[in-house]
Amino acid sequence: MTRNREIHLASRPQGWPTEDTFRLVETDVPTPGPGQIVVRNQFMSVDPYMRGRMNDVKSYVPPFALDAPLDGAAIGEVVASEAADIAVGATVQHGLGWREYALLDATAARQVDPGVAPVSAYLSVLGMTGLTAYAGLLEVAAMKPGETVFVSAAAGAVGSLVGQIAKLKGAGRVIGSAGSPAKVERLRALGFDAAFDYHDGVREALRAAAPDGVDVYFDNVGGDHLEAAISAMNLHGRAAICGMIAQYNATEPPAAPRNLALVIGKRLTLRGFLVNDHHDVRPAFVRDVAGWLRDGTLSYDETIVDGIENAPAAFLGLLRGENLGKMLVRV
């Protein structure tokens, strides 16, 4: 335990990032000071929002610094501790991924029980991913039983949970879009009533899948998906805007949506949200999801890439849609 490897941001990408956007750097394993711990990371998350942080622009989270390690959700084992309430050997979740060993204040870590679920689940279905799906669908979009729900990027980490939670909470019909025939089949296996490959045309496929319209749209994509959803939504429909991955790497303004005037006549609500604003629903989320996992009514997928040196490739694969469910790096 003497050397540590971490991924630094080497340059700010214009358009799509490449392997040259990142740099693998070797450093000394840190030593904890008073109130600090050192964590040997076991898994780290790569997420679409990280693309925005590679740009030097003002946003809801600070941009990544050049020539410094990136960060993000991670989980691992405490290997050194100078904190009274976290012992060596504890499993903790924290925000310093993209490195093998993380030094952090104990107050920035949350202890979890590895006996309840595989530790990777705390970065997906039992973590911020699951809470995003739960809060976005039930709090932001306020889905009601019997309603028709459309989910974009539905085979991804958040989208696949949104569709299942919608069914478990009594949705009348759940529709998902995905990027390949295999992902479409997976959505059907997860209980989606209809699913389509967006390469075949979003507006036409959504119209066929939802002949009576859409009441709730959970948006992970933006662009043509949002335009199609606006056209399909019923009076007083609600859209929870979680992400817009279609334009994260764009160098020109998006062409769609071009039908925003429909928002007026249909009295639609389009509401953006951040999961950090909805921690008040965590107790209900934990109760519901833990129960669904126990009785087998909720499933989750993970795509795991091995090795910290392959974290950039995992991130680039995520942007290309190569993941099924949550994209994780086993450090």
Side-chain angles (χ1 to χ4, degrees):
M1 198 181 84
T2 58
R3 302 300 286 170
N4 175 41
R5 294 185 300 165
E6 52 193 28
I7 303 294
H8 288 205
L9 185 66
S11 62
R12 298 200 184 278
Q14 299 297 316
W16 281 82
T18 67
E19 290 279 356
D20 292 336
T21 303
F22 308 90
R23 182 181 299 117
L24 180 64
V25 176
E26 191 171 286
T27 65
D28 292 329
V29 173
T31 301
Q36 294 184 318
I37 59 175
V38 175
V39 181
R40 173 63 169 96
N41 285 333
Q42 296 168 315
F43 288 92
M44 55 162 274
S45 174
V46 292
D47 301 284
Y49 82 90
M50 294 174 175
R51 175 60 187 87
R53 294 188 65 192
M54 294 175 185
N55 300 328
D56 190 11
V57 296
K58 185 177 181 180
S59 185
Y60 61 91
V61 285
F64 292 128
L66 285 173
D67 302 313
L70 293 86
D71 59 67
I75 194 165
E77 181 183 354
V78 176
V79 294
S81 176
E82 292 295 332
D85 53 347
I86 299 184
V88 170
T91 300
V92 298
Q93 185 179 354
H94 60 90
L96 293 182
W98 294 88
R99 66 205 77 188
E100 291 176 320
Y101 292 89
L103 171 68
L104 62 148
D105 292 338
T107 53
R110 183 169 70 92
Q111 292 193 65
V112 300
D113 185 352
V116 171
V119 294
S120 60
Y122 289 101
L123 297 179
S124 57
V125 65
L126 291 174
M128 299 298 277
T129 299
L131 183 59
T132 299
Y134 188 94
L137 177 69
L138 302 179
E139 291 290 306
V140 178
M143 188 209 82
K144 304 179 185 66
E147 292 188 318
T148 296
V149 178
F150 171 45
V151 188
S152 57
V158 173
S160 58
L161 296 177
V162 171
Q164 292 181 84
I165 293 170
K167 294 296 290 185
L168 289 164
K169 288 293 187 177
R173 184 167 177 81
V174 177
I175 302 154
S177 73
S180 71
K183 288 183 177 182
V184 168
E185 287 305 310
R186 179 56 180 159
L187 294 181
R188 291 176 177 143
L190 290 175
F192 282 68
D193 297 290
F196 60 84
D197 186 335
Y198 67 81
H199 294 104
D200 297 332
V202 181
R203 187 182 291 239
E204 298 78 9
L206 181 57
R207 187 183 299 118
D212 296 322
V214 170
D215 302 299
V216 168
Y217 172 46
F218 196 104
D219 190 14
N220 292 303
V221 175
D224 59 348
H225 278 75
L226 180 55
E227 182 175 286
I230 289 171
S231 291
M233 289 176 81
N234 295 323
L235 288 178
H236 303 291
R238 291 93 60 209
I241 313 297
C242 179
M244 293 195 174
I245 196 170
Q247 64 193 62
Y248 287 165
N249 297 302
T251 56
E252 298 293 334
R258 297 160 294 187
N259 57 350
L260 284 174
L262 292 177
V263 172
I264 303 168
K266 291 186 176 186
R267 282 84 92 195
L268 304 180
T269 299
L270 311 182
R271 182 180 170 191
F273 76 101
L274 300 176
V275 67
N276 286 336
D277 295 334
H278 296 278
H279 285 290
D280 58 308
V281 304
R282 180 176 285 278
F285 158 72
V286 171
R287 180 195 65 237
D288 283 348
V289 171
W292 293 330
L293 289 174
R294 276 196 302 269
D295 63 22
T297 54
L298 183 68
S299 300
Y300 64 99
D301 294 313
E302 295 176 340
T303 300
I304 297 176
V305 173
D306 284 307
I308 188 68
E309 69 278 8
N310 293 316
F315 177 71
L316 297 176
L318 171 76
L319 295 182
R320 291 190 294 262
E322 295 174 359
N323 59 300
L324 185 64
K326 182 70 174 176
M327 180 72 92
L328 296 170
V329 177
R330 182 161 33 218
V331 179

